[in-house]
Amino acid sequence: MKLDFARFPAPDGVNGWWESLPPPGCAETVSSEYEYDWVVIGGGITGLCAARRLAELAPGASVALVEADRIGRTTAGRNSGFFVDLPHDISSESYSRSIEADKADVRLQRHGIDYVRSVVRRHGIECDWRDDGKFHASVNKRGQAALAHFAEGLERIGEPFHWLDEAAIKAVTGSDFYCGALFTPGCSTVQPAALMRGLAATLPRNAKAFEMSAVKSIDDRGDAKVLTFAGGKITAKRVILCTNAYAARFGGHPNGLLPVYTFASMTRVMNPDEVRRLGGTPSWALIPADPMGTTVRRLITDRICVRNHFAFRPGLEVSQADLAKARSLHQRSFDRRFPMLKGVELEYTWGGPLCLSANNGALFGRRGDGVFEAVGCNGLGLSRGSASGKLIAEYALGQSSDLVHQLLNQPHPRSLPVRPIADVAVSAAIWVKEFTAGAEL
Ligand SMILES: Cc1cc2nc3c(=O)[nH]c(=O)nc-3n(C[C@H](O)[C@H](O)[C@H](O)COP(=O)(O)OP(=O)(O)OC[C@H]3O[C@@H](n4cnc5c(N)ncnc54)[C@H](O)[C@@H]3O)c2cc1C
């Protein structure tokens, strides 16, 4: 199995979720030679769920989870923290697809959410887990029409929601930016870096997490896979790849998986006077009517987090200019929504790679003898990654279920034209969608 050494994961910008936590303990790194039954590569939500589930179902087996950076500092710990239960196709204009596809998505996503919620409760993981739902807010007639379309889709699959008028959404957010919203109760939200750290810290005893340990090569010797790191080696019987956007680095489907970055900023903590000026409720989570618009969360810690802007970066690296552009877009979005918070600075700005595909396809199943994969979040890694991580472990251990079949039967990522044609096409598509989202930004 060949690895592309172009770039290993590294932090892009400064992740506010991670920075606002207490400093972490020392990382346990791969610094010697080890033998394990299983190695899971990638300490995001998918890998954390895969490693946990393997260890739960095979208590006699040894499981290593290896992560190139710190667990909680990479993409799974730098997102907006929405565990979305409902249809959420960000390539559509209203998040929905067909009735069957929407129902299947909901079933899968709730399976993932239920699994992680049960772990959070069992271990008392402090990650501000909330089952408070989310608001889809619009700023104009176009947005209202998209929400109406989304609401029709929800009615068709029997999912509850309710409408808020301009005054009602202002009573929640304190902002008079929005003209209306639709509330859906099933979404959970978290402090994502705290959740990832907590999941790693509470792995079953037969699973061990190694951080700051990038896999540099994998030598497939049939029954034994030898993984090489800067400081040592792990020999394992089986391997599960949960590397999401970095999946192409392991030689599979490089032309169908699209590393598309999105960006977020978080304010400093507001003082009591600023909190009073803002008004609204102390914690809420809002996504835009247009998937390319701005996601906003008010945190119980009296910070506000905004996310918008996408950039196709096949080299899996963002520049200072990318971060500066994102920050200035975030500042503009923040100022438009919260003119009463003049002087509340954005303290942190960061980016992270999603793993999109042109047809919403993903990779799940057996890659080769003793090698499995669960890759391709399509922007919804928290709930889908939880489910596919749990289910890839079950599949790799020989278990079968309707949900395993659902994932095995999902489309593979559709191949794109060769670069640089694909680069131009994807960047142009993002630009057009962002331009159309306009007012929602
Ligand atoms: C700003 C932002 C906001 C977002 N908001 C949301 C949201 O609200 N809800 C939602 O569901 N999703 C959201 N996402 C997407 C979500 O973060 C991803 O879908 C999710 O992280 C995917 O999880 P994963 O475990 O599959 O992959 P990742 O989180 O990308 O984990 C893969 C891991 O593999 C590691 N890795 C790669 N190569 C190697 C190697 N050679 N050796 C060792 N380790 C390696 C990487 O370091 C990485 O930690 C957002 C993303 C961003 C950037």
Side-chain angles (χ1 to χ4, degrees):
M1 194 177 302
K2 195 172 169 313
L3 270 180
D4 173 352
F5 288 94
R7 188 184 187 239
F8 290 107
D12 292 298
V14 184
N15 172 1
W17 299 108
W18 173 269
E19 296 299 325
S20 50
L21 288 176
C26 285
E28 176 112 31
T29 61
V30 174
S31 56
S32 172
E33 300 205 357
Y34 313 80
E35 287 190 9
Y36 277 89
D37 294 312
W38 294 88
V39 174
V40 176
I41 307 177
I45 186 71
T46 309
L48 282 160
C49 288
R52 174 177 296 274
R53 193 64 179 151
L54 281 175
E56 285 171 349
L57 293 178
S62 56
V63 181
L65 172 66
V66 296
E67 166 53 46
D69 196 274
R70 295 305 305 260
I71 291 175
R73 192 159 61 179
T74 60
T75 314
R78 48 179 53 215
N79 54 57
S80 303
F82 288 71
F83 271 84
V84 176
D85 61 330
L86 292 176
H88 195 91
D89 178 1
I90 59 172
S91 63
S92 94
E93 275 166 24
S94 63
Y95 299 102
S96 312
R97 295 192 283 161
S98 66
I99 294 185
E100 290 69 33
D102 285 355
K103 279 189 168 167
D105 282 349
V106 171
R107 205 167 41 231
L108 181 74
Q109 286 155 210
R110 288 199 176 137
H111 185 75
I113 297 172
D114 290 347
Y115 181 59
V116 178
R117 184 195 290 111
S118 72
V119 175
V120 166
R121 289 200 178 141
R122 194 172 341 124
H123 294 284
I125 296 174
E126 287 184 18
C127 59
D128 195 27
W129 182 285
R130 286 169 188 268
D131 292 313
D132 290 349
K134 64 172 161 29
F135 299 92
H136 291 234
S138 63
V139 303
N140 56 22
K141 278 192 184 152
R142 187 173 169 276
Q144 285 293 102
L147 289 187
H149 186 241
F150 183 58
E152 277 167 28
L154 294 181
E155 262 165 6
R156 280 201 304 268
I157 59 171
E159 291 294 341
F161 62 87
H162 71 254
W163 288 99
L164 289 87
D165 64 14
E166 192 174 339
I169 188 65
K170 179 173 178 177
V172 174
T173 61
S175 167
D176 50 20
F177 186 69
Y178 300 104
C179 65
L182 186 150
F183 176 77
T184 65
C187 176
S188 307
T189 52
V190 289
Q191 204 293 22
L195 173 64
M196 300 311 141
R197 258 198 212 175
L199 290 175
T202 58
L203 283 171
R205 270 199 211 144
N206 53 328
K208 183 177 178 65
F210 293 95
E211 300 174 79
M212 303 308 292
S213 301
V215 180
K216 303 270 181 196
S217 69
I218 305 177
D219 182 9
D220 192 345
R221 300 183 190 161
D223 282 354
K225 324 283 169 203
V226 182
L227 286 73
T228 306
F229 302 78
K233 283 188 177 167
I234 299 182
T235 304
K237 293 181 188 141
R238 294 185 197 85
V239 171
I240 301 186
L241 301 174
C242 299
T243 48
N244 206 36
Y246 302 93
R249 300 264 174 269
F250 293 90
H253 304 271
N255 198 29
L257 298 171
L258 304 172
V260 172
Y261 275 73
T262 188
F263 301 84
S265 289
M266 190 184 279
T267 65
R268 65 165 167 76
V269 176
M270 293 180 280
N271 64 36
D273 179 50
E274 289 158 348
V275 167
R276 188 190 47 73
R277 274 191 271 142
L278 172 60
T281 58
S283 161
W284 45 266
L286 179 151
I287 66 171
D290 185 315
M292 301 303 274
T294 301
T295 297
V296 190
R297 278 186 65 187
R298 175 164 170 198
L299 311 177
I300 199 71
T301 50
D302 287 334
R303 295 177 188 265
I304 291 178
C305 186
V306 294
R307 185 217 55 79
N308 62 35
H309 187 42
F310 291 90
F312 179 48
R313 293 290 174 265
L316 281 160
E317 187 165 23
V318 294
S319 63
Q320 286 306 314
D322 285 325
L323 289 165
K325 178 174 178 189
R327 188 186 169 82
S328 114
L329 285 169
H330 295 160
Q331 187 69 60
R332 195 182 67 139
S333 305
F334 183 80
D335 293 345
R336 291 168 79 187
R337 286 160 177 78
F338 307 111
M340 72 297 266
L341 294 181
K342 214 167 170 33
V344 176
E345 305 89 19
L346 300 179
E347 187 172 1
Y348 306 107
T349 298
W350 64 94
L354 309 175
C355 187
L356 307 184
S357 65
N359 58 340
N360 237 345
L363 302 175
F364 178 92
R366 188 183 299 274
R367 161 80 70 96
D369 201 17
V371 181
F372 301 85
E373 63 190 348
V375 162
C377 67
N378 281 300
L380 211 57
L382 284 184
S383 47
R384 292 187 77 88
S386 307
S388 64
K390 172 178 181 282
L391 294 165
I392 193 67
E394 294 174 4
Y395 174 70
L397 287 168
Q399 295 194 356
S400 178
S401 64
D402 288 350
L403 287 173
V404 165
H405 282 282
Q406 182 177 322
L407 287 176
L408 288 171
N409 291 329
Q410 71 192 327
H412 275 188
R414 191 172 69 223
S415 279
L416 291 171
V418 288
R419 299 183 64 193
I421 300 171
D423 298 13
V424 174
V426 176
S427 295
I430 291 174
W431 187 87
V432 169
K433 279 175 181 277
E434 281 192 341
F435 182 77
T436 316
E440 302 266 2
L441 275 166

